[in-house]
Amino acid sequence: MTTPARGLLVLVRHGQSEDNAQDLFSGLRDPALTPRGVEEARAAGRELRRLGLSFTHAFTSMLTRAGQTMELILDELGQSDLPVRRHAALNERDYGGLAGLNKSQARERFGAERVRIWRKSYDAVPEGGESLAMTAARVWPFYEREIAPVVRAGGCALLVGHGNALRSMLMRLDGIDAATIEDVNIGTAQALVYALAEDGRRLVKTNLPAADLAEPSSRA
């Protein structure tokens, strides 16, 4: 077992899901990983192990694709016995009426421009769903309450999450504004590594190779 790194946060998006493979809006739907997604998750775990990382704390959502990815990563790290904190605050953005539709079906039903705004805008709310701003309003308080104290105390936290939920975190962690976040995409099983800054509070993105473990793919 490697020694846990001190004061690190590793964010990993789940591996390819069955909805990703069909280019569907997923949101709170609960598809499993595809065989490709399983291998992506295992590859992420192997890369984190190669970098000598192990974790003191693990966090994920209540959704299957994230939970499976977490299990596979921890298995590759030899840390299958690490307790995992699961919470609905980390669930993917609720796509409402878009959920279960592929991009072409959504454009036909709602119109291309409206779908583009729902997908890209920080504040736009799909029918019956959440905006990215609403997602951030539940994800970030959970981070500040439960994850940040772990890292600031010198722990090493692994968070396996979802494309939009993680994007909402990057706005704070990386200082990304609402206009710029529209063009930020996190690929399936891609990892982003943050280290505690010298001030003991801020997190700064590192240049570890783990920051780009997998090729980008469509958002959940």
Side-chain angles (χ1 to χ4, degrees):
M1 177 72 65
T2 54
T3 301
R6 309 305 294 174
L8 284 183
L9 171 64
V10 178
L11 307 178
V12 183
R13 185 184 169 195
H14 63 79
Q16 185 194 61
S17 73
E18 294 166 346
D19 280 3
N20 292 145
Q22 299 178 69
D23 199 27
L24 304 182
F25 286 98
S26 215
L28 298 184
R29 285 164 53 86
D30 202 22
L33 297 181
T34 63
R36 170 181 162 179
V38 169
E39 179 50 38
E40 287 177 338
R42 289 198 175 280
R46 289 192 295 269
E47 181 64 11
L48 294 176
R49 183 182 65 201
R50 186 187 70 79
L51 292 168
L53 297 182
S54 65
F55 296 92
T56 60
H57 295 75
F59 303 87
T60 193
S61 75
M62 301 300 295
L63 299 174
T64 298
R65 56 197 185 274
Q68 282 185 294
T69 301
M70 175 66 81
E71 291 174 4
L72 292 165
I73 289 174
L74 291 179
D75 182 62
E76 291 292 337
L77 290 168
Q79 288 195 272
S80 295
D81 59 346
L82 183 68
V84 177
R85 175 79 164 99
R86 302 187 67 177
H87 200 282
L90 299 175
N91 284 351
E92 177 58 301
R93 172 187 178 185
D94 184 352
Y95 269 122
L98 293 174
L101 301 177
N102 66 34
K103 306 304 187 295
S104 295
Q105 289 174 323
R107 286 190 289 268
E108 289 175 3
R109 180 173 299 184
F110 299 108
E113 181 60 16
R114 179 176 293 184
V115 171
R116 185 195 68 78
I117 292 171
W118 281 339
R119 290 185 66 196
K120 295 292 188 178
S121 171
Y122 180 64
D123 296 307
V125 182
E127 294 181 4
E130 291 179 305
S131 65
L132 188 60
M134 294 163 68
T135 305
R138 57 176 166 81
V139 172
W140 190 254
F142 180 90
Y143 166 79
E144 287 281 23
R145 183 176 68 250
E146 300 207 28
I147 302 176
V150 166
V151 179
R152 289 168 184 161
C156 188
L158 172 64
L159 169 57
V160 175
H162 304 267
N164 285 295
L166 294 178
R167 287 170 66 237
S168 74
M169 290 185 63
L170 297 191
M171 293 185 71
R172 297 287 191 96
L173 292 173
D174 295 339
I176 300 172
D177 63 30
T180 305
I181 198 64
E182 294 181 2
D183 297 319
V184 173
N185 186 34
I186 302 171
T188 50
Q190 182 179 344
L192 303 170
V193 183
Y194 291 81
L196 195 63
E198 291 184 1
D199 64 13
R201 292 195 61 80
R202 292 179 302 111
L203 291 179
V204 292
K205 191 178 291 182
T206 76
N207 292 320
L208 289 176
D212 189 14
L213 295 178
E215 64 182 7
S217 68
S218 61
R219 294 179 187 167

